[in-house]
Amino acid sequence: MNGIALVLRALHHGENRLAEQLTAVAGRHRAEHEVHHVALDLAGWSREHAQRLADAARRQGLDLDDAPGELSSGMLPALQEKATGAADRRPEPGLLLLRDLRELHLGATENSLHWEMLAQAAQAARDDELPAVVSACHPRTLRQMRWTNTLVKNLSPQILTSL
Amino acid sequence: MDASVDRIARPWGSRTPYGRHEPWPVRVDTYLEEGVEPGSVQRWVQAASILHSDGDAMDIAVVDGRMAGVRGRADDRVNHGRLGPKDLFGWQANASPDRLTRPLVRRDGHLTGCDWATAMDRIVARSRELLEKRGPGAIGFYTTGQLFLEEYYTLALLARAGIGTPHLDGNTRLCTATASEALKESFGCDGQPGSYDDLDHADAIALFGHNIAETQPVQWMRVLDRLGGPDPPRLVCVDPRPTRVARTAAVHLAPRLGTNVALLNALLHEIIRTDRVDHAYIAAHTVGYEELVSRVKECTPEWAAAICDVPAARIGEAAEVLGTADRLLSTVLQGVYQSHQATAAAVQVNNLHLIRGMLGRPGAGVLQMNGQPTAQNTRECGADGNLPGFRNWQNDSHVADLARVWNVDPRTIPHYAPPTHAMQMFRYAEQGSIRMLWINGTNPAVSLPDLSRVRSILSQDRLFVIVQDLFLTETAQLADVVLPAATWGEKTGTFTNADRTVHLSDKAVEPPGEAKPDLDIFLDYAARMDFRDKDGGPLVTWHDPESAFEAWKRCSAGRPCDYTGLTYDRLRGRSGIQWPCTEQTPEGTERLYTDTIDWAHPDVCESYGKDLVTGAADDAVEYRSLNPDGKAMIKAASYLPPHETPDAAYPFQLTTGRTLYHFHTRTKTARAPQLNAAAPEVWVEVSAADAAALGLDEGDLVEVTTPRGALRGRLRTTGIRPGLLFVPFHYGYWDTEAGHGPGDGTPARAANETTITDWDPVSKQPLFKTAAAALRLVERGNGRSAPAPTTTASAPFRAGAVPSTTGGTSALAGQAGDTDGEEGEGNKEDEDGREDREDRGKGQVEGDSE
């Protein structure tokens, strides 16, 4: 397997995983309405990224769709149920929210670094197609990072000083 | 000529036609209560309207120490003597017998009367306890768009530097937050670019989600007068309802809810494709054009037609009007601000003007409108999630400058994060980290989305709720302390309308009982809390409205909203004046951005901007690299589907909104007999096609259900877009048996029982115009009709199908001026409206069958 294929595989996995994480966070934090709605919008971006990567890889003779994400989606509904409902009225979900936002940020950062590697490798290999995929998708990954960073910045003061 | 006109039946009165570039003729409207003749009025006291954002200047008639009527001010630049129905009749609510006249505190579960010392002691004791045990983040203030400038500024100082809490916002979050945010995104700073006088000069007027006929009826009179004169403007209207504007427009687009960005991107696509672009303006004054070109490249009218459910040809016609205008005026309101992708869409209207170079000249301008009369002051005084004087919370030198004005340590003013927006404050209260919420001049138990949630938050034992209002509103009934406030006409202060016109509103009569001006309540609280500046002096250094105004002038100095050239004396006895007003510009400033984009430089801008999809904040470094020279920013946005769309269980889209005759939750307008009678109860609007498909008829009692809740009202069949329901948001419970919410014998009737908790991530404005709903019959109307006006967007689909809305002799108001007798006497205007309506109705039926 060449290096580009390695990165494509890792990034495809990472975008799928981030989409799942965003969807799970949206489900866990229904009472945090902005987080809930925007996370679902941004999960759509990651799903689209994964699709574009799979399409690009297929043209390079690589099938990415056989590489499943790590998070089992079967666990998600149970997690969601647990965190919504009665807990909406308690402060502890604030800590859970900060932890989830941190994980989303780290996931997006990992993807961002893989986009960077892919862009560099594609240029070095004089690939005609991949740079267009990167320039369409990587900016949105950076926006996912800025979103989680903004939320952590805005929510931390109240959550961490009211425990 | 002098005439009396039923201003309920004919809300816009008689026409005074005028030509392009001519001054709008004067028409002085007067209403005096029965038995009062002009000669018996003892004093006329200067004021301006408080029931919408237009800033109609008026005088209050005083007889024997009480209000007896109102008269428009002929020499004022805003209204040239005219008044709208709410201006004419709304003042009567001041004298309602159920005004609050003494403070109330909750004892053993019941609100009972007490003196001011008892009520204030209780508030101060709780404030001190929370500050000591939990810190300033436990205290929040939720204010309004209906106080006076002096009151907001005092509140901003005591909250931000006295308590030191980031939790201060206004209900302006519900009405004008997107206007403010869109201006910050495009121009780096808040500040209305255009002027109402642009209506005199424009050859095309585009209204985006702005039912001006009902929200600013006096400016609609101006548009009607232009349409009746030589060289009239062409109107483009984007609205899913058959408003008077829609029926009058050259092009009417009625898009599916939540698709404004798709529609606007297609309009921009057409303007760019046909190269009706001012390339010299773009090069001189903007950044970001290339990004817009690439973003809207694929957004053809055909693409948008599929998303918006509007014919592609109609989008092309609208683009033709916008693209060929020689002076284009655009206005934007809640159809954009309270809808999905609010800021992104409002910014695209700014982009339209930036790429066409339509700014800063007579007739070429943008009006990002406000809903409430004093919302502009909530914004500029920093009572709404901004810092005072449009200072940038992310810019340390701005915060230091504010700290200098207030003589406090900069660390006293929370600026580690943006000031908390209202929806987040209610979330913190729900979670228990905010433990005291001081609500003044607003009624969240009716006006916020998802009311069962809001009631449960306000009812928590652990949350100490203070309500400061005129009446025992639904929210006041849930409070721990209720403070009786004086209102317009009972106190002095200034306020600023949607086109930056500052008016003075003088005290005409005494407030009832022990009710006090909001300013006095805030000053009393600051004194009892003993707030100090960094040298140990009193934090609040003023004692009455005029000294507060003088203090505000010092805070505004050098900022865009500069008031330093204004005084109470200069505002008394003459027209209002538009800020910025300085020693150099004593007559004010008609238009912003006539030469350059003045407030976008990285060092002066109010905001470094946000991501239009995620709301993520940019920082100073990013802003400086994007816009080093402080130009206008063209920010592109992609369309995203709305978060809640119809499905099998909830097949309709649901939108909420206002009607001409009411304001907010009817606390005043329901107590004005003429206004209340014009729209006494909630109703539900549905299209004729949908009513026929469901076998429903005018007057049937129906239930509207969403995943949040349900409400009941009588059905009005109109020319609204098929698939869409409309419910007015004014109706709550204070005049029902249950009092503050639905209960035994009181079915739900508030629109917000059904609305979703979702807000624009950029402006944080709640989305009242995006929900999926089901509709079912509860009971046949058997010949009854819906209690909806016939004069407005609620007009029945078939003209004459229901009795016309009239006010009778009690609604006769005087009109003096050069009005057109022909149109003034007859019903020509109404007949015209009906013909248009029927034409449009036919068009829609044909459209459906295609």
Side-chain angles (χ1 to χ4, degrees), chain B residues 31-46:
Chain B
Y31 176 76
L32 293 173
E33 71 179 26
E34 207 182 327
V36 174
E37 297 302 318
S40 57
V41 174
Q42 293 154 344
R43 283 189 302 140
W44 289 98
V45 178
Q46 178 173 355

Side-chain angles (χ1 to χ4, degrees), chain B residues 246-557:
Chain B
R247 287 182 219 148
T248 311
V251 185
H252 173 209
L253 306 169
R256 185 178 275 139
L257 287 192
T259 65
N260 289 326
V261 166
L263 180 65
L264 280 154
N265 279 351
L267 293 171
L268 291 166
H269 169 98
E270 282 297 281
I271 304 275
I272 292 169
R273 183 184 66 78
T274 52
D275 199 30
R276 285 161 172 158
V277 167
D278 186 338
H279 293 283
Y281 188 93
I282 290 171
H285 298 295
T286 72
V287 294
Y289 177 62
E290 293 310 319
E291 167 71 15
L292 179 72
V293 171
S294 84
R295 196 75 66 95
V296 302
K297 198 159 185 273
E298 315 294 329
C299 301
T300 61
E302 291 72 25
W303 167 83
I307 293 169
C308 308
D309 189 29
V310 167
R314 202 68 58 83
I315 297 174
E317 288 165 29
E320 182 75 16
V321 175
L322 303 176
T324 57
D326 121 78
R327 297 291 169 97
L328 171 66
L329 174 67
S330 292
T331 74
V332 190
L333 197 59
Q334 308 307 359
V336 172
Y337 300 162
Q338 294 180 342
S339 197
H340 178 60
Q341 292 197 282
T343 307
V347 161
Q348 301 319 307
V349 178
N350 294 341
N351 289 346
L352 169 65
H353 283 256
L354 289 168
I355 69 172
R356 293 226 58 228
M358 289 286 172
L359 273 174
R361 290 175 290 141
V366 176
L367 294 170
Q368 297 280 358
M369 294 297 295
N370 307 342
Q372 294 178 82
T374 74
Q376 187 57 48
N377 308 106
T378 323
R379 271 150 71 173
E380 62 207 27
C381 293
D384 76 333
N386 295 304
L387 293 185
F390 300 153
R391 286 175 175 83
N392 186 342
W393 69 268
Q394 286 174 289
N395 185 329
D396 284 344
S397 72
H398 285 204
V399 177
D401 185 57
L402 183 62
R404 174 192 60 77
V405 173
W406 286 350
N407 196 34
V408 298
D409 187 312
R411 282 188 312 170
T412 312
I413 304 167
H415 62 285
Y416 35 79
T420 314
H421 63 89
M423 300 303 290
Q424 189 66 52
M425 278 168 42
F426 277 84
R427 174 63 188 143
Y428 288 152
E430 182 176 39
Q431 261 189 334
S433 64
I434 285 182
R435 293 292 175 101
M436 169 175 147
L437 192 56
W438 189 329
I439 300 166
N440 58 77
T442 187
N443 192 11
V446 181
S447 57
L448 286 185
D450 195 357
L451 288 183
S452 62
R453 170 177 178 257
V454 173
R455 284 187 293 264
S456 83
I457 292 171
L458 292 172
S459 306
Q460 298 174 96
D461 282 343
R462 66 183 175 185
L463 181 68
F464 185 70
V465 177
I466 304 154
V467 171
Q468 178 174 325
D469 215 307
L470 315 184
F471 298 100
L472 196 65
T473 61
E474 291 83 346
T475 306
Q477 292 173 46
L478 300 172
D480 298 287
V481 177
V482 179
L483 303 176
T487 184
W488 172 92
E490 300 162 357
K491 62 182 187 180
T492 291
T494 53
F495 54 93
T496 306
N497 78 344
D499 88 336
R500 294 176 280 103
T501 305
V502 185
H503 285 115
L504 178 69
S505 187
D506 265 323
K507 176 176 173 176
V509 300
E510 290 298 326
E514 296 172 33
K516 280 189 196 180
D518 299 273
L519 178 64
D520 292 2
I521 297 171
F522 295 145
L523 291 174
D524 184 28
Y525 177 67
R528 288 171 190 268
M529 290 295 290
D530 197 25
F531 293 133
R532 298 279 160 175
D533 68 12
K534 69 178 181 191
D535 297 323
L539 179 69
V540 185
T541 54
W542 49 91
H543 56 277
D544 67 0
E546 190 160 8
S547 55
F549 185 78
E550 291 299 316
W552 161 248
K553 283 163 62 178
R554 292 191 288 280
C555 184
S556 77

Side-chain angles (χ1 to χ4, degrees), chain B residues 100-118:
Chain B
L100 291 168
T101 55
R102 57 189 301 214
L104 309 172
V105 293
R106 193 166 290 280
R107 285 197 183 102
D108 306 323
H110 299 283
L111 286 170
T112 51
C114 67
D115 59 17
W116 274 96
T118 304

Side-chain angles (χ1 to χ4, degrees), chain B residues 58 114 173 213 580 636 683 690 753 772:
Chain B
M58 61 168 83
C114 67
R173 185 63 55 187
W683 69 91
D690 288 324
E753 305 292 348

Side-chain angles (χ1 to χ4, degrees), chain A residues 89-106:
Chain A
R89 288 292 192 83
R90 300 176 53 80
E92 291 81 1
L95 281 182
L96 179 63
L97 176 63
L98 289 181
R99 195 205 64 183
D100 280 344
L101 290 168
R102 183 192 68 194
E103 294 308 306
L104 290 175
H105 187 79
L106 293 174

